[in-house]
Amino acid sequence: MQSTLRDTNADLAPLGVMHLRYIEMFQAILQAGTLTDAASLLNISQPAATKLLKQAERRLGFPLFVRLKGQWHLTPEGRLLQGQMERIFEELRDLQRLVSNIARADKYPLRAISTPTLANAIVPKSLARLRQTLGQTSIELSTQHSPEMLKSIILREADVGITLQELSHPDIRCEHLCEGPLVLIAPKDTWSRTAAVQPISIDSLANSTLLGITRADQLGRQLQAYLEQLDPPARISTWVQTYQIAKDIVCSGEGLALVDPFTAVSAGAELQTRVVEPIMNINLYAVYRAEGPLNSVQKAFVQSVKTIATELIGFLRNRERRLHSVQ
Amino acid sequence: MQSTLRDTNADLAPLGVMHLRYIEMFQAILQAGTLTDAASLLNISQPAATKLLKQAERRLGFPLFVRLKGQWHLTPEGRLLQGQMERIFEELRDLQRLVSNIARADKYPLRAISTPTLANAIVPKSLARLRQTLGQTSIELSTQHSPEMLKSIILREADVGITLQELSHPDIRCEHLCEGPLVLIAPKDTWSRTAAVQPISIDSLANSTLLGITRADQLGRQLQAYLEQLDPPARISTWVQTYQIAKDIVCSGEGLALVDPFTAVSAGAELQTRVVEPIMNINLYAVYRAEGPLNSVQKAFVQSVKTIATELIGFLRNRERRLHSVQ
DNA sequence: CGGTGCGTATAACCCATCGTTATGCACTCG
DNA sequence: CGAGTGCATAACGATGGGTTATACGCACCG
């Protein structure tokens, strides 16, 4: 019926109809710069790309690109569509992620995600402990910085996130697990045995060589502001993205750094740690979708992280207390 | 190459791949409630719809719907995708609109859009006057209420909008054309010759039978609030959506109404109009995309609307002035 | 100024997809 | 329990999107 109708006026192809493929093509050309490369981005041959573009322009009723001196340039019409196209493309990619994560959700009772820092500190300990009780259940762990973590959880790439940053989103619950003091780390043998277990005043960092953490989160900014107002300000010549990297550099003797207590305490014997005074608290959070309850594995994981984190913090505090009781 | 690869493991169809068609199917089923009806929404046969749905669910890796007692119900997974699907669907429809409007943009130097009210009042007069100077140029006029008008202009369904409501949007310019007083309209012979050209106090409307305008815009709300605080409040039993409809009803003798001056003055001899005191000003705006300059036809149109509107308002005012000078 | 080569268009062909009609089947409901 | 609605299956055809092979335009360069 429809096909016969189409047969009668054969050349009257559906006009002005947008296809997903066209959007992909559009994006690919913009990204690749050449049709041939765009084709390989889409995993198709170059003639296919040519046909696709031609067809798109024929169907839409106007050209999207013009070719000048071997370059593809957007026509004004193309430029008009660009914004909308990009948005749809993005949303579609999100949808794709969501779909594929739903499909494999049941295979993994726990897909954990943490910031890189914590992935090196407490999370593995926690997973190791869980593993003993779980046998061969499949578990995933990935790392993302906080903003991406949020998206991953919403798109169901992960179920539970562990982070130092409080995340706020309507569909997300952010559970506070524990808190601990900001600590200063240094290569071993920097301080004497007795000094090493005492708090250190943040003011005494004036004029010392610190590693800076280039974090955009609230704690990072707060710290930076604080350090800058010291007199003289602490000299910061090396900037790193995460506490963990800072730790590694400190280990190799390049300076001191202010880090979260979890990174510090998991460092072991290679470096010394001192709580900074006045105490600035760092919080640890578990983040998950508010929509449904956690399953038993996920609950156990959160609980286990909480326990381990608390133990680690306790270790830091106890060290001090031991000292105080000696005094 | 790719096809040969596909041939080797034939049943391993691309998994987790979202197609536009699936989204349309999804939406259609939700809307229609039955596969057969969904099929006709998509202009395909029922078996095609069945296959499409099955294929979608097979490719995605999980069912989207379950059939219970002859009803299609979303699965939890389906519900998860619903939001995202709807958003993409919407955006795609917008893109479609944009595309088809771009394709036909050059055929129409002026595609005007106005609120229904003004489409009956000043806009036709203006177009008629323009027509004399333009010859056979094609012009389009459509009507939309203000929120839809904004969207139409952005999606290039229209070039210039005429409205009583000030619209604000980053990509839109809103040009003030003129202002005029709120007026009360009544069936002819309601007032005496001399009374009819005098302003009428809004307080004197207390206890009278008015037509209400159910407008969500700022003026509508303002008016309603004002009328309600009269003592006793004006009785409003009939609510209509536009000034224009109110006018028609007033003409048929069903009551009085407060309307914009343009509607009032274009009514002709069938009804009487009196300016309301204290004067509440109604503004007339032309709305167009900020991005590019108007072409000559569009400019002429805006100018012409402005001129005519000003003339009409002038007529209302002059009537009073004549009276005052007589006094 | 005429090779050289990259990138694009065209040609000929293939097959998976998506559509069709015809028909059988299940389940709801009177 | 029979009728009827709505879904699934079967068999089949046209189209579109993909392929390879090849010709063409054009910038670049010796």
Side-chain angles (χ1 to χ4, degrees):
Chain A
M1 189 163 164
Q2 201 189 10
S3 68
T4 53
L5 191 147
R6 222 180 250 165
D7 292 343
T8 54
N9 35 12
D11 56 340
L12 193 59
L15 214 90
V17 172
M18 200 56 181
H19 273 228
L20 252 187
R21 221 63 226 285
Y22 302 163
I23 299 181
E24 293 172 336
M25 189 73 235
F26 188 86
Q27 294 291 116
I29 294 179
L30 286 182
Q31 194 181 328
T34 142
L35 258 193
T36 307
D37 293 349
S40 66
L41 272 186
L42 300 178
N43 288 314
I44 60 178
S45 64
Q46 170 267 315
T50 299
K51 275 210 302 189
L52 193 52
L53 177 59
K54 293 278 170 205
Q55 191 198 47
E57 295 183 330
R58 190 165 39 80
R59 292 242 183 119
L60 297 186
F62 49 87
L64 293 167
F65 294 93
V66 288
R67 193 173 150 78
L68 291 178
K69 318 242 315 166
Q71 303 266 25
W72 292 97
H73 294 270
L74 274 175
T75 60
E77 292 82 13
R79 206 166 299 116
L80 276 178
L81 300 180
Q82 192 174 6
Q84 193 84 352
M85 292 243 206
E86 273 164 9
R87 247 183 308 159
I88 294 181
F89 193 69
E90 280 300 311
E91 299 224 347
L92 213 107
R93 285 177 54 88
D94 284 355
L95 181 58
Q96 294 270 22
R97 278 171 75 179
L98 185 52
V99 163
S100 41
N101 293 323
I102 289 177
R104 45 184 277 285
D106 38 357
K107 302 207 178 99
Y108 294 85
L110 171 61
R111 295 168 303 181
I113 186 168
S114 80
T115 53
T117 299
L118 298 170
N120 285 305
I122 44 178
V123 175
K125 287 189 175 59
S126 168
L127 286 181
R129 194 176 289 184
L130 261 191
R131 170 63 62 207
Q132 301 176 347
T133 69
L134 285 181
Q136 287 310 310
T137 333
S138 293
I139 285 180
E140 272 189 7
L141 172 62
S142 58
T143 69
Q144 290 276 295
H145 299 291
S146 295
E148 292 82 12
M149 177 186 293
L150 190 62
K151 191 159 197 179
S152 276
I153 294 177
I154 288 175
L155 294 182
R156 295 172 176 255
E157 274 170 7
D159 304 304
V160 181
I162 305 292
T163 175
L164 297 178
Q165 197 170 354
E166 183 163 18
L167 297 179
S168 169
H169 186 280
D171 301 336
I172 287 291
R173 252 181 64 71
C174 188
E175 177 183 344
H176 184 256
L177 296 184
C178 78
E179 63 182 16
L182 184 72
V183 301
L184 180 68
I185 58 177
K188 60 179 171 185
D189 306 326
T190 302
W191 300 302
S192 72
R193 262 262 180 56
T194 53
V197 291
Q198 285 181 309
I200 184 171
S201 158
I202 195 168
D203 296 320
S204 67
L205 296 181
N207 209 22
S208 52
T209 302
L210 283 183
L211 287 162
I213 315 282
T214 58
R215 292 195 58 176
D217 64 21
Q218 174 242 341
L219 174 69
R221 276 178 307 224
Q222 188 180 331
L223 247 178
Q224 257 172 250
Y226 201 103
L227 291 176
E228 274 166 17
Q229 81 185 30
L230 290 180
D231 185 37
R235 281 174 290 126
I236 301 183
S237 52
T238 307
W239 292 91
V240 299
Q241 198 198 359
T242 69
Y243 295 126
Q244 188 60 33
I245 297 177
K247 190 205 80 174
D248 293 338
I249 295 180
V250 169
C251 279
S252 67
E254 304 289 326
L256 312 182
L258 292 167
V259 300
D260 67 277
F262 310 103
T263 297
V265 88
S266 70
E270 314 130 51
L271 46 77
Q272 291 181 295
T273 72
R274 295 177 70 178
V275 173
V276 170
E277 205 136 56
I279 286 183
M280 297 178 67
N281 266 326
I282 308 246
N283 295 295
L284 184 69
Y285 300 94
V287 175
Y288 43 86
R289 290 181 292 280
E291 143 224 312
L294 297 183
N295 67 31
S296 60
V297 180
Q298 292 159 3
K299 272 197 208 118
F301 171 65
V302 172
Q303 186 54 47
S304 146
V305 169
K306 183 171 186 171
T307 306
I308 290 186
T310 310
E311 285 171 17
L312 291 180
I313 298 298
F315 174 72
L316 270 179
R317 294 227 175 91
N318 282 336
R319 217 179 36 170
E320 282 183 61
R321 202 181 321 139
R322 276 199 303 274
L323 182 75
H324 286 304
S325 61
V326 165
Q327 278 180 334
Chain B
M1 189 164 165
Q2 201 187 11
S3 67
T4 55
L5 192 147
R6 223 181 249 165
D7 291 344
T8 56
N9 36 13
D11 55 340
L12 193 58
L15 215 90
V17 173
M18 201 57 181
H19 273 230
L20 185 51
R21 220 65 224 284
Y22 302 163
I23 300 180
E24 292 172 337
M25 189 72 235
F26 188 87
Q27 295 290 116
I29 293 179
L30 285 181
Q31 194 181 331
T34 143
L35 258 192
T36 307
D37 293 350
S40 67
L41 273 185
L42 299 179
N43 288 315
I44 61 177
S45 64
Q46 169 266 315
T50 299
K51 279 209 299 188
L52 191 53
L53 177 60
K54 295 278 170 204
Q55 191 198 47
E57 295 184 331
R58 189 166 40 80
R59 293 240 183 122
L60 297 186
F62 49 86
L64 293 168
F65 295 93
V66 288
R67 193 173 148 77
L68 291 177
K69 316 243 313 168
Q71 304 266 25
W72 292 98
H73 295 271
L74 274 175
T75 60
E77 292 81 14
R79 207 166 299 117
L80 278 178
L81 300 180
Q82 192 175 6
Q84 194 83 353
M85 292 244 207
E86 273 164 10
R87 246 183 307 159
I88 294 181
F89 193 67
E90 281 300 310
E91 299 224 352
L92 216 110
R93 285 176 53 88
D94 284 356
L95 181 58
Q96 293 270 20
R97 279 171 75 179
L98 185 52
V99 163
S100 40
N101 294 322
I102 289 177
R104 44 185 277 286
D106 38 356
K107 303 208 178 96
Y108 295 84
L110 171 61
R111 295 167 304 180
I113 185 167
S114 79
T115 54
T117 300
L118 299 170
N120 285 303
I122 45 178
V123 175
K125 288 189 175 60
S126 168
L127 287 181
R129 195 176 290 184
L130 262 191
R131 171 63 62 207
Q132 301 175 348
T133 68
L134 285 182
Q136 287 309 310
T137 332
S138 292
I139 285 180
E140 270 189 8
L141 172 62
S142 59
T143 70
Q144 290 276 294
H145 298 291
S146 296
E148 293 82 11
M149 176 186 294
L150 190 61
K151 192 159 199 179
S152 276
I153 294 177
I154 288 175
L155 295 181
R156 296 172 176 255
E157 274 170 8
D159 304 304
V160 181
I162 305 294
T163 174
L164 297 178
Q165 197 170 353
E166 183 162 17
L167 298 179
S168 168
H169 186 281
D171 301 337
I172 287 292
R173 254 181 62 73
C174 187
E175 176 183 345
H176 183 258
L177 296 184
C178 76
E179 64 181 15
L182 183 73
V183 301
L184 181 68
I185 57 176
K188 61 179 173 185
D189 304 330
T190 302
W191 300 302
S192 72
R193 262 272 184 45
T194 51
V197 292
Q198 285 181 308
I200 184 170
S201 159
I202 195 168
D203 296 320
S204 67
L205 296 181
N207 208 20
S208 53
T209 303
L210 283 182
L211 287 164
I213 314 281
T214 59
R215 292 195 57 176
D217 65 20
Q218 174 242 342
L219 174 67
R221 276 178 307 223
Q222 187 180 335
L223 246 179
Q224 257 173 249
Y226 200 103
L227 291 176
E228 274 165 17
Q229 82 185 30
L230 289 180
D231 186 36
R235 281 173 292 127
I236 301 183
S237 53
T238 307
W239 292 92
V240 299
Q241 198 198 1
T242 68
Y243 295 126
Q244 188 60 34
I245 297 178
K247 190 204 82 176
D248 292 338
I249 295 180
V250 169
C251 279
S252 67
E254 303 290 325
L256 311 182
L258 292 167
V259 300
D260 68 277
F262 310 104
T263 297
V265 87
S266 68
E270 315 129 52
L271 46 76
Q272 291 182 295
T273 73
R274 294 177 70 179
V275 173
V276 171
E277 206 135 57
I279 286 183
M280 298 178 65
N281 265 326
I282 308 248
N283 294 295
L284 183 70
Y285 300 95
V287 175
Y288 43 86
R289 290 181 293 280
E291 144 223 311
L294 297 183
N295 66 32
S296 61
V297 179
Q298 292 159 1
K299 272 199 208 115
F301 171 65
V302 171
Q303 186 53 47
S304 145
V305 169
K306 184 171 186 169
T307 306
I308 290 186
T310 310
E311 284 171 16
L312 291 180
I313 298 297
F315 174 72
L316 271 178
R317 294 225 174 91
N318 283 336
R319 215 178 38 169
E320 283 183 60
R321 199 180 324 137
R322 276 200 304 275
L323 182 74
H324 286 303
S325 61
V326 166
Q327 276 181 334

PDB file of all heavy atoms in Angstrom, chain B residues 33-52:
ATOM      1  N   GLY B  33      -1.153   2.253  23.261  1.00  0.00           N
ATOM      2  CA  GLY B  33      -1.643   1.243  24.177  1.00  0.00           C
ATOM      3  C   GLY B  33      -1.725  -0.149  23.568  1.00  0.00           C
ATOM      4  O   GLY B  33      -1.678  -1.135  24.272  1.00  0.00           O
ATOM      5  N   THR B  34      -1.828  -0.211  22.270  1.00  0.00           N
ATOM      6  CA  THR B  34      -1.853  -1.505  21.606  1.00  0.00           C
ATOM      7  C   THR B  34      -0.896  -1.502  20.422  1.00  0.00           C
ATOM      8  O   THR B  34      -0.663  -0.471  19.795  1.00  0.00           O
ATOM      9  CB  THR B  34      -3.276  -1.871  21.119  1.00  0.00           C
ATOM     10  OG1 THR B  34      -3.206  -2.552  19.883  1.00  0.00           O
ATOM     11  CG2 THR B  34      -4.100  -0.635  20.952  1.00  0.00           C
ATOM     12  N   LEU B  35      -0.346  -2.658  20.146  1.00  0.00           N
ATOM     13  CA  LEU B  35       0.633  -2.759  19.070  1.00  0.00           C
ATOM     14  C   LEU B  35       0.021  -2.379  17.735  1.00  0.00           C
ATOM     15  O   LEU B  35       0.652  -1.705  16.921  1.00  0.00           O
ATOM     16  CB  LEU B  35       1.179  -4.186  18.982  1.00  0.00           C
ATOM     17  CG  LEU B  35       2.546  -4.432  19.560  1.00  0.00           C
ATOM     18  CD1 LEU B  35       3.069  -5.782  19.140  1.00  0.00           C
ATOM     19  CD2 LEU B  35       3.497  -3.344  19.072  1.00  0.00           C
ATOM     20  N   THR B  36      -1.198  -2.831  17.521  1.00  0.00           N
ATOM     21  CA  THR B  36      -1.859  -2.545  16.255  1.00  0.00           C
ATOM     22  C   THR B  36      -1.998  -1.037  16.050  1.00  0.00           C
ATOM     23  O   THR B  36      -1.681  -0.512  14.980  1.00  0.00           O
ATOM     24  CB  THR B  36      -3.246  -3.198  16.229  1.00  0.00           C
ATOM     25  OG1 THR B  36      -3.102  -4.579  16.552  1.00  0.00           O
ATOM     26  CG2 THR B  36      -3.866  -3.071  14.864  1.00  0.00           C
ATOM     27  N   ASP B  37      -2.446  -0.359  17.071  1.00  0.00           N
ATOM     28  CA  ASP B  37      -2.595   1.087  16.954  1.00  0.00           C
ATOM     29  C   ASP B  37      -1.243   1.779  16.842  1.00  0.00           C
ATOM     30  O   ASP B  37      -1.087   2.754  16.109  1.00  0.00           O
ATOM     31  CB  ASP B  37      -3.365   1.629  18.159  1.00  0.00           C
ATOM     32  CG  ASP B  37      -4.803   1.151  18.159  1.00  0.00           C
ATOM     33  OD1 ASP B  37      -5.229   0.578  17.139  1.00  0.00           O
ATOM     34  OD2 ASP B  37      -5.500   1.342  19.172  1.00  0.00           O
ATOM     35  N   ALA B  38      -0.280   1.275  17.592  1.00  0.00           N
ATOM     36  CA  ALA B  38       1.061   1.842  17.494  1.00  0.00           C
ATOM     37  C   ALA B  38       1.565   1.726  16.067  1.00  0.00           C
ATOM     38  O   ALA B  38       2.156   2.660  15.529  1.00  0.00           O
ATOM     39  CB  ALA B  38       2.013   1.124  18.443  1.00  0.00           C
ATOM     40  N   ALA B  39       1.288   0.573  15.462  1.00  0.00           N
ATOM     41  CA  ALA B  39       1.711   0.369  14.085  1.00  0.00           C
ATOM     42  C   ALA B  39       1.127   1.438  13.179  1.00  0.00           C
ATOM     43  O   ALA B  39       1.835   2.019  12.363  1.00  0.00           O
ATOM     44  CB  ALA B  39       1.297  -1.019  13.611  1.00  0.00           C
ATOM     45  N   SER B  40      -0.146   1.726  13.364  1.00  0.00           N
ATOM     46  CA  SER B  40      -0.741   2.699  12.457  1.00  0.00           C
ATOM     47  C   SER B  40      -0.241   4.100  12.766  1.00  0.00           C
ATOM     48  O   SER B  40      -0.176   4.949  11.887  1.00  0.00           O
ATOM     49  CB  SER B  40      -2.268   2.629  12.508  1.00  0.00           C
ATOM     50  OG  SER B  40      -2.712   3.048  13.768  1.00  0.00           O
ATOM     51  N   LEU B  41       0.156   4.350  14.005  1.00  0.00           N
ATOM     52  CA  LEU B  41       0.792   5.632  14.316  1.00  0.00           C
ATOM     53  C   LEU B  41       2.074   5.785  13.514  1.00  0.00           C
ATOM     54  O   LEU B  41       2.416   6.873  13.066  1.00  0.00           O
ATOM     55  CB  LEU B  41       1.128   5.713  15.805  1.00  0.00           C
ATOM     56  CG  LEU B  41       0.058   6.229  16.760  1.00  0.00           C
ATOM     57  CD1 LEU B  41       0.621   6.352  18.163  1.00  0.00           C
ATOM     58  CD2 LEU B  41      -0.449   7.583  16.276  1.00  0.00           C
ATOM     59  N   LEU B  42       2.781   4.695  13.360  1.00  0.00           N
ATOM     60  CA  LEU B  42       4.051   4.740  12.649  1.00  0.00           C
ATOM     61  C   LEU B  42       3.856   4.506  11.151  1.00  0.00           C
ATOM     62  O   LEU B  42       4.836   4.452  10.404  1.00  0.00           O
ATOM     63  CB  LEU B  42       4.998   3.674  13.198  1.00  0.00           C
ATOM     64  CG  LEU B  42       5.361   3.791  14.675  1.00  0.00           C
ATOM     65  CD1 LEU B  42       6.279   2.653  15.085  1.00  0.00           C
ATOM     66  CD2 LEU B  42       6.046   5.128  14.938  1.00  0.00           C
ATOM     67  N   ASN B  43       2.622   4.350  10.746  1.00  0.00           N
ATOM     68  CA  ASN B  43       2.316   4.086   9.339  1.00  0.00           C
ATOM     69  C   ASN B  43       2.954   2.793   8.846  1.00  0.00           C
ATOM     70  O   ASN B  43       3.476   2.727   7.736  1.00  0.00           O
ATOM     71  CB  ASN B  43       2.770   5.249   8.447  1.00  0.00           C
ATOM     72  CG  ASN B  43       1.883   6.456   8.628  1.00  0.00           C
ATOM     73  OD1 ASN B  43       0.663   6.334   8.659  1.00  0.00           O
ATOM     74  ND2 ASN B  43       2.503   7.611   8.771  1.00  0.00           N
ATOM     75  N   ILE B  44       2.935   1.798   9.670  1.00  0.00           N
ATOM     76  CA  ILE B  44       3.394   0.484   9.231  1.00  0.00           C
ATOM     77  C   ILE B  44       2.335  -0.533   9.619  1.00  0.00           C
ATOM     78  O   ILE B  44       1.395  -0.224  10.360  1.00  0.00           O
ATOM     79  CB  ILE B  44       4.757   0.104   9.854  1.00  0.00           C
ATOM     80  CG1 ILE B  44       4.642   0.042  11.375  1.00  0.00           C
ATOM     81  CG2 ILE B  44       5.832   1.046   9.416  1.00  0.00           C
ATOM     82  CD1 ILE B  44       5.923  -0.385  12.062  1.00  0.00           C
ATOM     83  N   SER B  45       2.492  -1.736   9.113  1.00  0.00           N
ATOM     84  CA  SER B  45       1.499  -2.765   9.407  1.00  0.00           C
ATOM     85  C   SER B  45       1.746  -3.359  10.788  1.00  0.00           C
ATOM     86  O   SER B  45       2.819  -3.202  11.360  1.00  0.00           O
ATOM     87  CB  SER B  45       1.576  -3.863   8.357  1.00  0.00           C
ATOM     88  OG  SER B  45       2.835  -4.498   8.422  1.00  0.00           O
ATOM     89  N   GLN B  46       0.753  -4.047  11.287  1.00  0.00           N
ATOM     90  CA  GLN B  46       0.883  -4.618  12.618  1.00  0.00           C
ATOM     91  C   GLN B  46       2.018  -5.640  12.701  1.00  0.00           C
ATOM     92  O   GLN B  46       2.793  -5.616  13.673  1.00  0.00           O
ATOM     93  CB  GLN B  46      -0.462  -5.235  13.030  1.00  0.00           C
ATOM     94  CG  GLN B  46      -0.403  -6.083  14.279  1.00  0.00           C
ATOM     95  CD  GLN B  46      -0.188  -7.551  13.945  1.00  0.00           C
ATOM     96  OE1 GLN B  46      -0.826  -8.079  13.044  1.00  0.00           O
ATOM     97  NE2 GLN B  46       0.722  -8.195  14.657  1.00  0.00           N
ATOM     98  N   PRO B  47       2.172  -6.540  11.734  1.00  0.00           N
ATOM     99  CA  PRO B  47       3.296  -7.478  11.854  1.00  0.00           C
ATOM    100  C   PRO B  47       4.642  -6.769  11.887  1.00  0.00           C
ATOM    101  O   PRO B  47       5.550  -7.202  12.604  1.00  0.00           O
ATOM    102  CB  PRO B  47       3.163  -8.345  10.601  1.00  0.00           C
ATOM    103  CG  PRO B  47       1.732  -8.265  10.239  1.00  0.00           C
ATOM    104  CD  PRO B  47       1.304  -6.885  10.594  1.00  0.00           C
ATOM    105  N   ALA B  48       4.743  -5.692  11.140  1.00  0.00           N
ATOM    106  CA  ALA B  48       5.993  -4.939  11.153  1.00  0.00           C
ATOM    107  C   ALA B  48       6.269  -4.415  12.556  1.00  0.00           C
ATOM    108  O   ALA B  48       7.403  -4.482  13.045  1.00  0.00           O
ATOM    109  CB  ALA B  48       5.926  -3.797  10.155  1.00  0.00           C
ATOM    110  N   ALA B  49       5.233  -3.933  13.202  1.00  0.00           N
ATOM    111  CA  ALA B  49       5.389  -3.424  14.561  1.00  0.00           C
ATOM    112  C   ALA B  49       5.836  -4.543  15.495  1.00  0.00           C
ATOM    113  O   ALA B  49       6.751  -4.362  16.299  1.00  0.00           O
ATOM    114  CB  ALA B  49       4.082  -2.810  15.046  1.00  0.00           C
ATOM    115  N   THR B  50       5.202  -5.678  15.383  1.00  0.00           N
ATOM    116  CA  THR B  50       5.590  -6.820  16.201  1.00  0.00           C
ATOM    117  C   THR B  50       7.070  -7.121  16.026  1.00  0.00           C
ATOM    118  O   THR B  50       7.824  -7.206  16.996  1.00  0.00           O
ATOM    119  CB  THR B  50       4.775  -8.063  15.800  1.00  0.00           C
ATOM    120  OG1 THR B  50       3.393  -7.809  16.023  1.00  0.00           O
ATOM    121  CG2 THR B  50       5.211  -9.270  16.609  1.00  0.00           C
ATOM    122  N   LYS B  51       7.459  -7.225  14.769  1.00  0.00           N
ATOM    123  CA  LYS B  51       8.859  -7.547  14.510  1.00  0.00           C
ATOM    124  C   LYS B  51       9.787  -6.485  15.079  1.00  0.00           C
ATOM    125  O   LYS B  51      10.814  -6.799  15.691  1.00  0.00           O
ATOM    126  CB  LYS B  51       9.099  -7.697  12.999  1.00  0.00           C
ATOM    127  CG  LYS B  51       8.699  -9.049  12.457  1.00  0.00           C
ATOM    128  CD  LYS B  51       9.522  -9.450  11.249  1.00  0.00           C
ATOM    129  CE  LYS B  51       9.353  -8.464  10.097  1.00  0.00           C
ATOM    130  NZ  LYS B  51      10.005  -8.943   8.872  1.00  0.00           N
ATOM    131  N   LEU B  52       9.401  -5.245  14.876  1.00  0.00           N
ATOM    132  CA  LEU B  52      10.241  -4.150  15.342  1.00  0.00           C
ATOM    133  C   LEU B  52      10.444  -4.241  16.851  1.00  0.00           C
ATOM    134  O   LEU B  52      11.565  -4.164  17.351  1.00  0.00           O
ATOM    135  CB  LEU B  52       9.584  -2.818  14.975  1.00  0.00           C
ATOM    136  CG  LEU B  52      10.429  -1.567  15.136  1.00  0.00           C
ATOM    137  CD1 LEU B  52      11.759  -1.716  14.404  1.00  0.00           C
ATOM    138  CD2 LEU B  52       9.670  -0.350  14.630  1.00  0.00           C
TER     139      LEU B  52
END
